[in-house]
Amino acid sequence: MATYKKRGYKPKATKEKGETLDALEQDSTTAEVFNTLDEGANKAEDWVAGNQKGIFILIGVAAVIMLGYLGYNKFIAEPKAEEAMNEMYSSQKYFDEAVDGVDKDSLYNLALTGGGGKLGLTDIVDQYGTTPAGNLANYYAGMAYLNTKDYTNAVKYLADFSTDDAVLGPIAKGGMGDAFVQLEQLPEALEYYEKAIAASTNDYTTPMYLLKAANVAQSLGENDKALKYYMRIKSDFKTSDQAKNIDTFIGRAESSK
């Protein structure tokens, strides 16, 4: 009897052989990958081994910096800040008495120069300027100079005061505006009144500096800007003291256009 060989028999053997080859190739590729990883790891280990001294130095430097920072805050910055607050108590008391008292100039001067063996505001700024008390001393010194009509120093100290407080921030900027008005530098005055307006929106400082900015703007011939500020007082702060005669100011600005 004739023997019948199925077609496809030989190709099947070829496929199995091909699969075997593919498997071998994959095994080979996998081995190469692991070899590469091993080589990379060995190189990394060699690099670390060869640079241990430098690595430890870097770690040591970072640790020293961190410990130094923590130590500075704990043993230098914090005690210095507390010391500054203690020194400032007397000057702040003189300032508060000047605001509420009769002999204002002498009390403001005591606040600035010190009394009773305690530092004045300007000395606190010089010695503790980087502390919160030193920063606040800039504000008090600036306002003290403003009230004693030393407008140049008022600008100097108020310019160095920084805060996010919703009231003190605008008052400091507005105080600089007041000083520039007295120095007859109206463009600068308007600039700082506008900064006071932008610093915070509240029922106390905003209408006050809107009115001042509007009046200075009108003096500079900027009637559109003046009218805009007057109108904002009327619309947004109608119960404020500044709104009481605002229609008169609006009429004056409109007639000047």
Side-chain angles (χ1 to χ4, degrees):
M1 179 184 288
T3 303
Y4 178 73
K5 293 182 180 179
K6 282 187 178 180
R7 295 184 63 186
Y9 174 77
K10 191 172 182 178
K12 183 177 180 181
T14 305
K15 183 178 180 183
E16 289 175 355
K17 185 178 180 181
E19 288 174 349
T20 303
L21 289 172
D22 289 343
L24 289 171
E25 289 174 359
Q26 289 174 5
D27 289 343
S28 176
T29 302
T30 303
E32 288 177 6
V33 169
F34 279 111
N35 286 335
T36 302
L37 291 174
D38 287 341
E39 289 174 6
N42 289 333
K43 288 179 180 178
E45 289 173 2
D46 291 342
W47 185 88
V48 170
N51 293 275
Q52 281 189 70
K53 186 176 180 180
I55 292 170
F56 288 138
I57 289 173
L58 288 174
I59 293 171
V61 168
V64 168
I65 291 172
M66 179 58 69
L67 291 173
Y69 173 77
L70 295 174
Y72 175 82
N73 282 334
K74 182 68 177 175
F75 299 110
I76 298 176
E78 290 178 11
K80 190 172 184 180
E82 186 175 351
E83 184 180 319
M85 288 301 295
N86 290 334
E87 285 288 347
M88 190 170 168
Y89 175 79
S90 179
S91 294
Q92 189 173 354
K93 185 171 178 289
Y94 287 132
F95 184 95
D96 292 340
E97 289 174 355
V99 172
D100 300 327
V102 177
D103 194 9
K104 293 181 180 293
D105 283 357
S106 64
L107 287 169
Y108 279 127
N109 285 324
L110 276 173
L112 287 165
T113 60
K118 292 292 185 180
L119 297 177
L121 293 167
T122 56
D123 291 325
I124 292 170
V125 171
D126 290 339
Q127 296 184 31
Y128 302 98
T130 58
T131 67
N135 179 51
L136 190 57
N138 277 308
Y139 170 79
Y140 282 114
M143 297 305 290
Y145 277 123
L146 182 64
N147 281 282
T148 55
K149 299 180 174 57
D150 186 343
Y151 303 115
T152 300
N153 271 321
V155 170
K156 173 187 171 183
Y157 282 92
L158 289 173
D160 287 337
F161 173 63
S162 61
T163 183
D164 294 326
D165 188 87
V167 175
L168 284 186
I171 289 177
K173 300 297 183 188
M176 292 177 69
D178 292 342
F180 280 122
V181 167
Q182 296 301 322
L183 292 169
E184 299 183 356
Q185 296 177 228
L186 295 187
E188 289 81 2
L190 178 57
E191 176 188 350
Y192 279 93
Y193 286 145
E194 290 176 329
K195 286 183 178 181
I197 294 166
S200 171
T201 300
N202 60 75
D203 292 336
Y204 173 60
T205 65
T206 309
M208 176 169 61
Y209 293 121
L210 278 169
L211 184 60
K212 290 187 176 189
N215 289 339
V216 171
Q218 194 160 19
S219 296
L220 291 169
E222 298 184 35
N223 294 304
D224 288 337
K225 181 177 284 189
L227 183 60
K228 180 180 76 171
Y229 290 150
Y230 290 138
M231 293 299 293
R232 186 178 170 192
I233 293 171
K234 183 174 182 177
S235 62
D236 296 351
F237 303 97
K238 57 186 67 177
T239 61
S240 66
D241 290 340
Q242 290 75 20
K244 289 178 180 176
N245 299 309
I246 200 64
D247 286 333
T248 301
F249 290 106
I250 290 171
R252 188 179 67 185
E254 288 178 333
S255 65
S256 299
K257 290 181 67 176

